[in-house]
Amino acid sequence: MGPVLIVDDEFGIVEAVRDLLSDEGYTTATALNGREALERMALERPSLVLLDYMMPLLNGPGVLEAMLRDPMLRDVPVVMMSASPAEFWQHLPCAGFLPKPFDIDQLLALVRDIIGAPPRH
C-alpha cells in the first residue's frame, strides 16, 4: 500500500494530518502545493490523496485533472478538502470531500472507508 499523500499549502494542517495518520499506522507523504504533489506521485504512487482545493502554483482541481490524464494515477482516490462553499468543489470526480474545518473522527472514518485500516506492523 502506498502512502496517504497530504497536499495543502497550510503547513500546520499538513503536519497535524500527517501526525494523526502516522499515529494510526498509515504511511504518509506530504506536499505543500500541487506541483510538488505531482512530483511526489511520480516517485511513489499513493494509495490516497488528501487534496486541498485552493493552493498556489497548482490548485486542487488542476492536480485532479493531471491525475485523471495519467494512466498510473487516474484510479488513485482523491479526497478534496476545502473551506470554500461546497458548490465550488462537490461536482469534482472525487472519492470523498472534507469541508474545512473537519474533525479527527470525520477524517479517519473517510480514510478507513476508502483505503481500509492501516497495515499491521
Side-chain angles (χ1 to χ4, degrees), residues 7-11 13-14 31-35 50-64 78-89 92 98-100:
V7 187
D8 199 307
D9 60 321
E10 293 183 46
F11 181 74
I13 290 175
V14 169
L32 296 174
N33 62 61
R35 285 190 192 152
L50 300 175
L51 182 62
D52 186 29
Y53 182 86
M54 289 178 41
M55 294 181 291
L57 300 181
L58 183 60
N59 65 15
V63 172
L64 183 60
V78 173
V79 171
M80 192 68 68
M81 306 181 296
S82 183
S84 299
E87 61 264 17
F88 287 111
W89 47 276
L92 297 170
L98 274 174
K100 288 180 177 179

PDB file of all heavy atoms in Angstrom, residues 7-11 13-14 31-35 50-64 78-89 92 98-100:
ATOM      1  N   VAL A   7      -1.817  16.981   0.778  1.00  0.00           N
ATOM      2  CA  VAL A   7      -1.429  18.130  -0.034  1.00  0.00           C
ATOM      3  C   VAL A   7      -2.206  19.358   0.433  1.00  0.00           C
ATOM      4  O   VAL A   7      -3.425  19.429   0.275  1.00  0.00           O
ATOM      5  CB  VAL A   7      -1.716  17.880  -1.528  1.00  0.00           C
ATOM      6  CG1 VAL A   7      -1.146  19.026  -2.367  1.00  0.00           C
ATOM      7  CG2 VAL A   7      -1.171  16.538  -1.987  1.00  0.00           C
ATOM      8  N   ASP A   8      -1.500  20.313   1.005  1.00  0.00           N
ATOM      9  CA  ASP A   8      -2.136  21.539   1.489  1.00  0.00           C
ATOM     10  C   ASP A   8      -1.056  22.597   1.619  1.00  0.00           C
ATOM     11  O   ASP A   8       0.077  22.278   2.004  1.00  0.00           O
ATOM     12  CB  ASP A   8      -2.809  21.287   2.848  1.00  0.00           C
ATOM     13  CG  ASP A   8      -3.858  22.334   3.189  1.00  0.00           C
ATOM     14  OD1 ASP A   8      -3.527  23.550   3.152  1.00  0.00           O
ATOM     15  OD2 ASP A   8      -4.995  21.958   3.490  1.00  0.00           O
ATOM     16  N   ASP A   9      -1.372  23.842   1.298  1.00  0.00           N
ATOM     17  CA  ASP A   9      -0.387  24.912   1.416  1.00  0.00           C
ATOM     18  C   ASP A   9      -0.271  25.441   2.841  1.00  0.00           C
ATOM     19  O   ASP A   9       0.602  26.250   3.128  1.00  0.00           O
ATOM     20  CB  ASP A   9      -0.687  26.055   0.439  1.00  0.00           C
ATOM     21  CG  ASP A   9      -2.041  26.684   0.661  1.00  0.00           C
ATOM     22  OD1 ASP A   9      -3.009  25.951   0.951  1.00  0.00           O
ATOM     23  OD2 ASP A   9      -2.150  27.909   0.520  1.00  0.00           O
ATOM     24  N   GLU A  10      -1.118  24.970   3.749  1.00  0.00           N
ATOM     25  CA  GLU A  10      -1.032  25.358   5.151  1.00  0.00           C
ATOM     26  C   GLU A  10      -0.238  24.282   5.890  1.00  0.00           C
ATOM     27  O   GLU A  10      -0.743  23.175   6.130  1.00  0.00           O
ATOM     28  CB  GLU A  10      -2.415  25.518   5.760  1.00  0.00           C
ATOM     29  CG  GLU A  10      -3.180  26.696   5.178  1.00  0.00           C
ATOM     30  CD  GLU A  10      -4.524  26.896   5.846  1.00  0.00           C
ATOM     31  OE1 GLU A  10      -4.575  26.859   7.099  1.00  0.00           O
ATOM     32  OE2 GLU A  10      -5.511  27.068   5.127  1.00  0.00           O
ATOM     33  N   PHE A  11       1.010  24.612   6.237  1.00  0.00           N
ATOM     34  CA  PHE A  11       1.906  23.636   6.849  1.00  0.00           C
ATOM     35  C   PHE A  11       1.310  23.032   8.119  1.00  0.00           C
ATOM     36  O   PHE A  11       1.478  21.836   8.380  1.00  0.00           O
ATOM     37  CB  PHE A  11       3.271  24.266   7.144  1.00  0.00           C
ATOM     38  CG  PHE A  11       4.237  23.297   7.751  1.00  0.00           C
ATOM     39  CD1 PHE A  11       4.823  22.304   6.976  1.00  0.00           C
ATOM     40  CD2 PHE A  11       4.543  23.366   9.099  1.00  0.00           C
ATOM     41  CE1 PHE A  11       5.706  21.395   7.540  1.00  0.00           C
ATOM     42  CE2 PHE A  11       5.428  22.464   9.667  1.00  0.00           C
ATOM     43  CZ  PHE A  11       6.014  21.478   8.890  1.00  0.00           C
ATOM     44  N   ILE A  13      -1.766  22.337   8.854  1.00  0.00           N
ATOM     45  CA  ILE A  13      -2.740  21.295   8.514  1.00  0.00           C
ATOM     46  C   ILE A  13      -2.007  20.040   8.054  1.00  0.00           C
ATOM     47  O   ILE A  13      -2.318  18.930   8.482  1.00  0.00           O
ATOM     48  CB  ILE A  13      -3.725  21.791   7.443  1.00  0.00           C
ATOM     49  CG1 ILE A  13      -4.643  22.855   8.042  1.00  0.00           C
ATOM     50  CG2 ILE A  13      -4.535  20.629   6.862  1.00  0.00           C
ATOM     51  CD1 ILE A  13      -5.578  23.507   7.049  1.00  0.00           C
ATOM     52  N   VAL A  14      -1.015  20.219   7.183  1.00  0.00           N
ATOM     53  CA  VAL A  14      -0.236  19.076   6.691  1.00  0.00           C
ATOM     54  C   VAL A  14       0.389  18.331   7.866  1.00  0.00           C
ATOM     55  O   VAL A  14       0.299  17.101   7.963  1.00  0.00           O
ATOM     56  CB  VAL A  14       0.849  19.542   5.690  1.00  0.00           C
ATOM     57  CG1 VAL A  14       1.821  18.424   5.371  1.00  0.00           C
ATOM     58  CG2 VAL A  14       0.207  20.056   4.418  1.00  0.00           C
ATOM     59  N   ALA A  31       2.994  17.245   0.619  1.00  0.00           N
ATOM     60  CA  ALA A  31       3.346  18.236  -0.392  1.00  0.00           C
ATOM     61  C   ALA A  31       2.647  19.537  -0.009  1.00  0.00           C
ATOM     62  O   ALA A  31       1.520  19.515   0.478  1.00  0.00           O
ATOM     63  CB  ALA A  31       2.916  17.785  -1.775  1.00  0.00           C
ATOM     64  N   LEU A  32       3.320  20.653  -0.257  1.00  0.00           N
ATOM     65  CA  LEU A  32       2.772  21.959   0.128  1.00  0.00           C
ATOM     66  C   LEU A  32       2.146  22.723  -1.035  1.00  0.00           C
ATOM     67  O   LEU A  32       1.673  23.837  -0.852  1.00  0.00           O
ATOM     68  CB  LEU A  32       3.857  22.807   0.799  1.00  0.00           C
ATOM     69  CG  LEU A  32       4.372  22.225   2.123  1.00  0.00           C
ATOM     70  CD1 LEU A  32       5.550  23.044   2.644  1.00  0.00           C
ATOM     71  CD2 LEU A  32       3.257  22.152   3.158  1.00  0.00           C
ATOM     72  N   ASN A  33       2.147  22.117  -2.229  1.00  0.00           N
ATOM     73  CA  ASN A  33       1.455  22.723  -3.365  1.00  0.00           C
ATOM     74  C   ASN A  33       1.205  21.631  -4.403  1.00  0.00           C
ATOM     75  O   ASN A  33       1.699  20.506  -4.286  1.00  0.00           O
ATOM     76  CB  ASN A  33       2.245  23.906  -3.944  1.00  0.00           C
ATOM     77  CG  ASN A  33       3.594  23.502  -4.483  1.00  0.00           C
ATOM     78  OD1 ASN A  33       3.698  22.694  -5.409  1.00  0.00           O
ATOM     79  ND2 ASN A  33       4.652  24.069  -3.913  1.00  0.00           N
ATOM     80  N   GLY A  34       0.435  21.966  -5.413  1.00  0.00           N
ATOM     81  CA  GLY A  34       0.045  20.992  -6.418  1.00  0.00           C
ATOM     82  C   GLY A  34       1.195  20.464  -7.245  1.00  0.00           C
ATOM     83  O   GLY A  34       1.244  19.268  -7.560  1.00  0.00           O
ATOM     84  N   ARG A  35       2.132  21.318  -7.597  1.00  0.00           N
ATOM     85  CA  ARG A  35       3.283  20.853  -8.388  1.00  0.00           C
ATOM     86  C   ARG A  35       4.114  19.841  -7.610  1.00  0.00           C
ATOM     87  O   ARG A  35       4.535  18.821  -8.141  1.00  0.00           O
ATOM     88  CB  ARG A  35       4.154  22.034  -8.815  1.00  0.00           C
ATOM     89  CG  ARG A  35       3.541  22.841  -9.924  1.00  0.00           C
ATOM     90  CD  ARG A  35       4.532  23.834 -10.468  1.00  0.00           C
ATOM     91  NE  ARG A  35       3.842  24.772 -11.331  1.00  0.00           N
ATOM     92  CZ  ARG A  35       4.235  26.004 -11.546  1.00  0.00           C
ATOM     93  NH1 ARG A  35       5.329  26.461 -10.969  1.00  0.00           N
ATOM     94  NH2 ARG A  35       3.553  26.805 -12.342  1.00  0.00           N
ATOM     95  N   LEU A  50      -5.162  13.299  -0.075  1.00  0.00           N
ATOM     96  CA  LEU A  50      -5.969  14.295   0.625  1.00  0.00           C
ATOM     97  C   LEU A  50      -5.541  15.635   0.051  1.00  0.00           C
ATOM     98  O   LEU A  50      -4.412  16.082   0.276  1.00  0.00           O
ATOM     99  CB  LEU A  50      -5.726  14.233   2.132  1.00  0.00           C
ATOM    100  CG  LEU A  50      -6.047  12.903   2.811  1.00  0.00           C
ATOM    101  CD1 LEU A  50      -5.640  12.935   4.276  1.00  0.00           C
ATOM    102  CD2 LEU A  50      -7.515  12.561   2.670  1.00  0.00           C
ATOM    103  N   LEU A  51      -6.417  16.263  -0.725  1.00  0.00           N
ATOM    104  CA  LEU A  51      -6.031  17.375  -1.593  1.00  0.00           C
ATOM    105  C   LEU A  51      -6.798  18.647  -1.273  1.00  0.00           C
ATOM    106  O   LEU A  51      -8.025  18.679  -1.375  1.00  0.00           O
ATOM    107  CB  LEU A  51      -6.290  16.948  -3.046  1.00  0.00           C
ATOM    108  CG  LEU A  51      -5.922  17.901  -4.160  1.00  0.00           C
ATOM    109  CD1 LEU A  51      -4.423  18.192  -4.168  1.00  0.00           C
ATOM    110  CD2 LEU A  51      -6.350  17.306  -5.499  1.00  0.00           C
ATOM    111  N   ASP A  52      -6.061  19.690  -0.922  1.00  0.00           N
ATOM    112  CA  ASP A  52      -6.677  20.995  -0.682  1.00  0.00           C
ATOM    113  C   ASP A  52      -7.161  21.582  -1.999  1.00  0.00           C
ATOM    114  O   ASP A  52      -6.527  21.428  -3.046  1.00  0.00           O
ATOM    115  CB  ASP A  52      -5.650  21.924  -0.037  1.00  0.00           C
ATOM    116  CG  ASP A  52      -6.240  23.250   0.391  1.00  0.00           C
ATOM    117  OD1 ASP A  52      -7.439  23.302   0.718  1.00  0.00           O
ATOM    118  OD2 ASP A  52      -5.493  24.247   0.410  1.00  0.00           O
ATOM    119  N   TYR A  53      -8.285  22.266  -1.965  1.00  0.00           N
ATOM    120  CA  TYR A  53      -8.870  22.861  -3.169  1.00  0.00           C
ATOM    121  C   TYR A  53      -8.087  24.094  -3.626  1.00  0.00           C
ATOM    122  O   TYR A  53      -7.765  24.234  -4.793  1.00  0.00           O
ATOM    123  CB  TYR A  53     -10.336  23.215  -2.903  1.00  0.00           C
ATOM    124  CG  TYR A  53     -11.046  23.796  -4.093  1.00  0.00           C
ATOM    125  CD1 TYR A  53     -11.633  22.964  -5.039  1.00  0.00           C
ATOM    126  CD2 TYR A  53     -11.142  25.170  -4.280  1.00  0.00           C
ATOM    127  CE1 TYR A  53     -12.295  23.483  -6.144  1.00  0.00           C
ATOM    128  CE2 TYR A  53     -11.792  25.698  -5.375  1.00  0.00           C
ATOM    129  CZ  TYR A  53     -12.378  24.861  -6.299  1.00  0.00           C
ATOM    130  OH  TYR A  53     -13.021  25.378  -7.389  1.00  0.00           O
ATOM    131  N   MET A  54      -7.814  25.004  -2.698  1.00  0.00           N
ATOM    132  CA  MET A  54      -7.173  26.276  -3.061  1.00  0.00           C
ATOM    133  C   MET A  54      -5.720  26.292  -2.600  1.00  0.00           C
ATOM    134  O   MET A  54      -5.448  26.252  -1.399  1.00  0.00           O
ATOM    135  CB  MET A  54      -7.932  27.448  -2.437  1.00  0.00           C
ATOM    136  CG  MET A  54      -9.275  27.668  -3.090  1.00  0.00           C
ATOM    137  SD  MET A  54     -10.291  28.992  -2.382  1.00  0.00           S
ATOM    138  CE  MET A  54      -9.145  30.278  -2.052  1.00  0.00           C
ATOM    139  N   MET A  55      -4.802  26.329  -3.583  1.00  0.00           N
ATOM    140  CA  MET A  55      -3.364  26.384  -3.300  1.00  0.00           C
ATOM    141  C   MET A  55      -2.677  27.201  -4.379  1.00  0.00           C
ATOM    142  O   MET A  55      -3.176  27.287  -5.502  1.00  0.00           O
ATOM    143  CB  MET A  55      -2.753  24.970  -3.328  1.00  0.00           C
ATOM    144  CG  MET A  55      -3.212  24.043  -2.253  1.00  0.00           C
ATOM    145  SD  MET A  55      -2.399  22.429  -2.389  1.00  0.00           S
ATOM    146  CE  MET A  55      -3.137  21.802  -3.899  1.00  0.00           C
ATOM    147  N   PRO A  56      -1.499  27.750  -4.047  1.00  0.00           N
ATOM    148  CA  PRO A  56      -0.725  28.448  -5.084  1.00  0.00           C
ATOM    149  C   PRO A  56      -0.047  27.432  -6.013  1.00  0.00           C
ATOM    150  O   PRO A  56       0.007  26.244  -5.707  1.00  0.00           O
ATOM    151  CB  PRO A  56       0.314  29.219  -4.272  1.00  0.00           C
ATOM    152  CG  PRO A  56       0.465  28.433  -3.009  1.00  0.00           C
ATOM    153  CD  PRO A  56      -0.884  27.830  -2.733  1.00  0.00           C
ATOM    154  N   LEU A  57       0.468  27.916  -7.110  1.00  0.00           N
ATOM    155  CA  LEU A  57       1.195  27.154  -8.130  1.00  0.00           C
ATOM    156  C   LEU A  57       0.286  26.240  -8.938  1.00  0.00           C
ATOM    157  O   LEU A  57       0.260  26.326 -10.149  1.00  0.00           O
ATOM    158  CB  LEU A  57       2.357  26.354  -7.539  1.00  0.00           C
ATOM    159  CG  LEU A  57       3.439  27.165  -6.836  1.00  0.00           C
ATOM    160  CD1 LEU A  57       4.547  26.259  -6.320  1.00  0.00           C
ATOM    161  CD2 LEU A  57       4.017  28.242  -7.735  1.00  0.00           C
ATOM    162  N   LEU A  58      -0.432  25.345  -8.277  1.00  0.00           N
ATOM    163  CA  LEU A  58      -1.366  24.463  -8.961  1.00  0.00           C
ATOM    164  C   LEU A  58      -2.423  24.064  -7.939  1.00  0.00           C
ATOM    165  O   LEU A  58      -2.105  23.438  -6.927  1.00  0.00           O
ATOM    166  CB  LEU A  58      -0.639  23.226  -9.506  1.00  0.00           C
ATOM    167  CG  LEU A  58      -1.461  22.235 -10.310  1.00  0.00           C
ATOM    168  CD1 LEU A  58      -2.070  22.886 -11.556  1.00  0.00           C
ATOM    169  CD2 LEU A  58      -0.612  21.037 -10.709  1.00  0.00           C
ATOM    170  N   ASN A  59      -3.670  24.430  -8.195  1.00  0.00           N
ATOM    171  CA  ASN A  59      -4.724  24.175  -7.218  1.00  0.00           C
ATOM    172  C   ASN A  59      -5.201  22.726  -7.268  1.00  0.00           C
ATOM    173  O   ASN A  59      -4.806  21.937  -8.132  1.00  0.00           O
ATOM    174  CB  ASN A  59      -5.878  25.169  -7.383  1.00  0.00           C
ATOM    175  CG  ASN A  59      -6.604  25.022  -8.712  1.00  0.00           C
ATOM    176  OD1 ASN A  59      -6.476  24.033  -9.425  1.00  0.00           O
ATOM    177  ND2 ASN A  59      -7.381  26.030  -9.052  1.00  0.00           N
ATOM    178  N   GLY A  60      -6.090  22.381  -6.336  1.00  0.00           N
ATOM    179  CA  GLY A  60      -6.600  21.020  -6.259  1.00  0.00           C
ATOM    180  C   GLY A  60      -7.244  20.525  -7.538  1.00  0.00           C
ATOM    181  O   GLY A  60      -6.927  19.422  -8.004  1.00  0.00           O
ATOM    182  N   PRO A  61      -8.154  21.291  -8.150  1.00  0.00           N
ATOM    183  CA  PRO A  61      -8.731  20.823  -9.411  1.00  0.00           C
ATOM    184  C   PRO A  61      -7.682  20.599 -10.501  1.00  0.00           C
ATOM    185  O   PRO A  61      -7.810  19.667 -11.299  1.00  0.00           O
ATOM    186  CB  PRO A  61      -9.703  21.949  -9.782  1.00  0.00           C
ATOM    187  CG  PRO A  61     -10.127  22.513  -8.465  1.00  0.00           C
ATOM    188  CD  PRO A  61      -8.874  22.468  -7.629  1.00  0.00           C
ATOM    189  N   GLY A  62      -6.638  21.414 -10.527  1.00  0.00           N
ATOM    190  CA  GLY A  62      -5.564  21.221 -11.506  1.00  0.00           C
ATOM    191  C   GLY A  62      -4.807  19.923 -11.270  1.00  0.00           C
ATOM    192  O   GLY A  62      -4.461  19.206 -12.215  1.00  0.00           O
ATOM    193  N   VAL A  63      -4.546  19.614 -10.007  1.00  0.00           N
ATOM    194  CA  VAL A  63      -3.881  18.350  -9.666  1.00  0.00           C
ATOM    195  C   VAL A  63      -4.775  17.179 -10.062  1.00  0.00           C
ATOM    196  O   VAL A  63      -4.324  16.207 -10.680  1.00  0.00           O
ATOM    197  CB  VAL A  63      -3.545  18.280  -8.161  1.00  0.00           C
ATOM    198  CG1 VAL A  63      -3.042  16.895  -7.772  1.00  0.00           C
ATOM    199  CG2 VAL A  63      -2.532  19.355  -7.784  1.00  0.00           C
ATOM    200  N   LEU A  64      -6.054  17.277  -9.724  1.00  0.00           N
ATOM    201  CA  LEU A  64      -7.001  16.212 -10.054  1.00  0.00           C
ATOM    202  C   LEU A  64      -7.067  15.989 -11.563  1.00  0.00           C
ATOM    203  O   LEU A  64      -7.035  14.847 -12.034  1.00  0.00           O
ATOM    204  CB  LEU A  64      -8.380  16.558  -9.487  1.00  0.00           C
ATOM    205  CG  LEU A  64      -9.473  15.525  -9.672  1.00  0.00           C
ATOM    206  CD1 LEU A  64      -9.116  14.197  -9.014  1.00  0.00           C
ATOM    207  CD2 LEU A  64     -10.783  16.064  -9.099  1.00  0.00           C
ATOM    208  N   VAL A  78      -9.088  10.358  -4.488  1.00  0.00           N
ATOM    209  CA  VAL A  78      -8.775  11.717  -4.031  1.00  0.00           C
ATOM    210  C   VAL A  78      -9.900  12.189  -3.118  1.00  0.00           C
ATOM    211  O   VAL A  78     -11.082  12.046  -3.447  1.00  0.00           O
ATOM    212  CB  VAL A  78      -8.637  12.684  -5.224  1.00  0.00           C
ATOM    213  CG1 VAL A  78      -8.484  14.126  -4.739  1.00  0.00           C
ATOM    214  CG2 VAL A  78      -7.465  12.284  -6.112  1.00  0.00           C
ATOM    215  N   VAL A  79      -9.513  12.741  -1.981  1.00  0.00           N
ATOM    216  CA  VAL A  79     -10.458  13.407  -1.088  1.00  0.00           C
ATOM    217  C   VAL A  79     -10.137  14.890  -1.152  1.00  0.00           C
ATOM    218  O   VAL A  79      -9.028  15.308  -0.819  1.00  0.00           O
ATOM    219  CB  VAL A  79     -10.350  12.888   0.360  1.00  0.00           C
ATOM    220  CG1 VAL A  79     -11.177  13.748   1.307  1.00  0.00           C
ATOM    221  CG2 VAL A  79     -10.781  11.430   0.441  1.00  0.00           C
ATOM    222  N   MET A  80     -11.083  15.686  -1.624  1.00  0.00           N
ATOM    223  CA  MET A  80     -10.892  17.134  -1.732  1.00  0.00           C
ATOM    224  C   MET A  80     -11.239  17.771  -0.391  1.00  0.00           C
ATOM    225  O   MET A  80     -12.273  17.456   0.204  1.00  0.00           O
ATOM    226  CB  MET A  80     -11.787  17.696  -2.833  1.00  0.00           C
ATOM    227  CG  MET A  80     -11.468  19.118  -3.237  1.00  0.00           C
ATOM    228  SD  MET A  80      -9.883  19.347  -4.087  1.00  0.00           S
ATOM    229  CE  MET A  80     -10.149  18.510  -5.634  1.00  0.00           C
ATOM    230  N   MET A  81     -10.353  18.654   0.074  1.00  0.00           N
ATOM    231  CA  MET A  81     -10.560  19.381   1.328  1.00  0.00           C
ATOM    232  C   MET A  81     -10.694  20.863   0.997  1.00  0.00           C
ATOM    233  O   MET A  81      -9.920  21.380   0.201  1.00  0.00           O
ATOM    234  CB  MET A  81      -9.360  19.184   2.258  1.00  0.00           C
ATOM    235  CG  MET A  81      -8.989  17.752   2.530  1.00  0.00           C
ATOM    236  SD  MET A  81      -7.574  17.572   3.654  1.00  0.00           S
ATOM    237  CE  MET A  81      -6.237  18.312   2.709  1.00  0.00           C
ATOM    238  N   SER A  82     -11.689  21.521   1.601  1.00  0.00           N
ATOM    239  CA  SER A  82     -11.856  22.941   1.290  1.00  0.00           C
ATOM    240  C   SER A  82     -12.694  23.657   2.330  1.00  0.00           C
ATOM    241  O   SER A  82     -13.635  23.090   2.886  1.00  0.00           O
ATOM    242  CB  SER A  82     -12.516  23.112  -0.075  1.00  0.00           C
ATOM    243  OG  SER A  82     -12.617  24.483  -0.388  1.00  0.00           O
ATOM    244  N   ALA A  83     -12.332  24.918   2.531  1.00  0.00           N
ATOM    245  CA  ALA A  83     -13.159  25.810   3.339  1.00  0.00           C
ATOM    246  C   ALA A  83     -14.131  26.580   2.452  1.00  0.00           C
ATOM    247  O   ALA A  83     -15.014  27.271   2.940  1.00  0.00           O
ATOM    248  CB  ALA A  83     -12.279  26.781   4.123  1.00  0.00           C
ATOM    249  N   SER A  84     -13.962  26.449   1.139  1.00  0.00           N
ATOM    250  CA  SER A  84     -14.857  27.109   0.190  1.00  0.00           C
ATOM    251  C   SER A  84     -16.235  26.454   0.229  1.00  0.00           C
ATOM    252  O   SER A  84     -16.354  25.285   0.586  1.00  0.00           O
ATOM    253  CB  SER A  84     -14.313  26.987  -1.240  1.00  0.00           C
ATOM    254  OG  SER A  84     -13.065  27.611  -1.346  1.00  0.00           O
ATOM    255  N   PRO A  85     -17.264  27.177  -0.181  1.00  0.00           N
ATOM    256  CA  PRO A  85     -18.596  26.585  -0.233  1.00  0.00           C
ATOM    257  C   PRO A  85     -18.605  25.339  -1.133  1.00  0.00           C
ATOM    258  O   PRO A  85     -17.913  25.274  -2.152  1.00  0.00           O
ATOM    259  CB  PRO A  85     -19.459  27.696  -0.836  1.00  0.00           C
ATOM    260  CG  PRO A  85     -18.722  28.962  -0.543  1.00  0.00           C
ATOM    261  CD  PRO A  85     -17.266  28.594  -0.560  1.00  0.00           C
ATOM    262  N   ALA A  86     -19.376  24.355  -0.736  1.00  0.00           N
ATOM    263  CA  ALA A  86     -19.401  23.052  -1.415  1.00  0.00           C
ATOM    264  C   ALA A  86     -19.721  23.149  -2.898  1.00  0.00           C
ATOM    265  O   ALA A  86     -19.228  22.346  -3.690  1.00  0.00           O
ATOM    266  CB  ALA A  86     -20.394  22.126  -0.723  1.00  0.00           C
ATOM    267  N   GLU A  87     -20.517  24.128  -3.309  1.00  0.00           N
ATOM    268  CA  GLU A  87     -20.874  24.210  -4.732  1.00  0.00           C
ATOM    269  C   GLU A  87     -19.658  24.442  -5.630  1.00  0.00           C
ATOM    270  O   GLU A  87     -19.689  24.166  -6.820  1.00  0.00           O
ATOM    271  CB  GLU A  87     -21.947  25.264  -5.002  1.00  0.00           C
ATOM    272  CG  GLU A  87     -21.569  26.678  -4.629  1.00  0.00           C
ATOM    273  CD  GLU A  87     -22.052  27.104  -3.254  1.00  0.00           C
ATOM    274  OE1 GLU A  87     -22.412  26.249  -2.432  1.00  0.00           O
ATOM    275  OE2 GLU A  87     -22.056  28.318  -3.000  1.00  0.00           O
ATOM    276  N   PHE A  88     -18.549  24.915  -5.049  1.00  0.00           N
ATOM    277  CA  PHE A  88     -17.336  25.118  -5.841  1.00  0.00           C
ATOM    278  C   PHE A  88     -16.626  23.807  -6.159  1.00  0.00           C
ATOM    279  O   PHE A  88     -15.937  23.706  -7.150  1.00  0.00           O
ATOM    280  CB  PHE A  88     -16.343  26.034  -5.109  1.00  0.00           C
ATOM    281  CG  PHE A  88     -16.756  27.469  -5.093  1.00  0.00           C
ATOM    282  CD1 PHE A  88     -17.151  28.070  -3.920  1.00  0.00           C
ATOM    283  CD2 PHE A  88     -16.749  28.226  -6.263  1.00  0.00           C
ATOM    284  CE1 PHE A  88     -17.534  29.402  -3.896  1.00  0.00           C
ATOM    285  CE2 PHE A  88     -17.123  29.554  -6.250  1.00  0.00           C
ATOM    286  CZ  PHE A  88     -17.524  30.139  -5.062  1.00  0.00           C
ATOM    287  N   TRP A  89     -16.772  22.807  -5.283  1.00  0.00           N
ATOM    288  CA  TRP A  89     -15.937  21.626  -5.433  1.00  0.00           C
ATOM    289  C   TRP A  89     -16.660  20.293  -5.398  1.00  0.00           C
ATOM    290  O   TRP A  89     -16.100  19.277  -5.790  1.00  0.00           O
ATOM    291  CB  TRP A  89     -14.802  21.644  -4.418  1.00  0.00           C
ATOM    292  CG  TRP A  89     -15.214  21.982  -3.008  1.00  0.00           C
ATOM    293  CD1 TRP A  89     -15.375  23.226  -2.494  1.00  0.00           C
ATOM    294  CD2 TRP A  89     -15.512  21.076  -1.953  1.00  0.00           C
ATOM    295  NE1 TRP A  89     -15.758  23.148  -1.170  1.00  0.00           N
ATOM    296  CE2 TRP A  89     -15.846  21.844  -0.815  1.00  0.00           C
ATOM    297  CE3 TRP A  89     -15.527  19.685  -1.849  1.00  0.00           C
ATOM    298  CZ2 TRP A  89     -16.187  21.269   0.396  1.00  0.00           C
ATOM    299  CZ3 TRP A  89     -15.865  19.111  -0.634  1.00  0.00           C
ATOM    300  CH2 TRP A  89     -16.188  19.910   0.467  1.00  0.00           C
ATOM    301  N   LEU A  92     -16.673  17.804  -8.493  1.00  0.00           N
ATOM    302  CA  LEU A  92     -15.449  17.162  -8.963  1.00  0.00           C
ATOM    303  C   LEU A  92     -15.499  15.647  -8.737  1.00  0.00           C
ATOM    304  O   LEU A  92     -16.088  15.182  -7.761  1.00  0.00           O
ATOM    305  CB  LEU A  92     -14.243  17.762  -8.238  1.00  0.00           C
ATOM    306  CG  LEU A  92     -14.010  19.248  -8.498  1.00  0.00           C
ATOM    307  CD1 LEU A  92     -12.954  19.797  -7.551  1.00  0.00           C
ATOM    308  CD2 LEU A  92     -13.602  19.476  -9.942  1.00  0.00           C
ATOM    309  N   LEU A  98     -14.034  16.698   2.289  1.00  0.00           N
ATOM    310  CA  LEU A  98     -13.920  17.114   3.677  1.00  0.00           C
ATOM    311  C   LEU A  98     -14.024  18.626   3.748  1.00  0.00           C
ATOM    312  O   LEU A  98     -13.106  19.327   3.317  1.00  0.00           O
ATOM    313  CB  LEU A  98     -12.571  16.693   4.265  1.00  0.00           C
ATOM    314  CG  LEU A  98     -12.455  15.300   4.849  1.00  0.00           C
ATOM    315  CD1 LEU A  98     -11.008  15.027   5.254  1.00  0.00           C
ATOM    316  CD2 LEU A  98     -13.378  15.129   6.033  1.00  0.00           C
ATOM    317  N   PRO A  99     -15.147  19.132   4.243  1.00  0.00           N
ATOM    318  CA  PRO A  99     -15.242  20.586   4.427  1.00  0.00           C
ATOM    319  C   PRO A  99     -14.342  21.001   5.598  1.00  0.00           C
ATOM    320  O   PRO A  99     -14.336  20.352   6.632  1.00  0.00           O
ATOM    321  CB  PRO A  99     -16.708  20.829   4.761  1.00  0.00           C
ATOM    322  CG  PRO A  99     -17.400  19.515   4.677  1.00  0.00           C
ATOM    323  CD  PRO A  99     -16.365  18.444   4.588  1.00  0.00           C
ATOM    324  N   LYS A 100     -13.562  22.047   5.390  1.00  0.00           N
ATOM    325  CA  LYS A 100     -12.724  22.582   6.474  1.00  0.00           C
ATOM    326  C   LYS A 100     -13.543  23.562   7.293  1.00  0.00           C
ATOM    327  O   LYS A 100     -14.292  24.342   6.715  1.00  0.00           O
ATOM    328  CB  LYS A 100     -11.506  23.307   5.891  1.00  0.00           C
ATOM    329  CG  LYS A 100     -10.469  22.408   5.286  1.00  0.00           C
ATOM    330  CD  LYS A 100      -9.347  23.300   4.772  1.00  0.00           C
ATOM    331  CE  LYS A 100      -8.203  22.555   4.205  1.00  0.00           C
ATOM    332  NZ  LYS A 100      -7.166  23.468   3.697  1.00  0.00           N
TER     333      LYS A 100
END
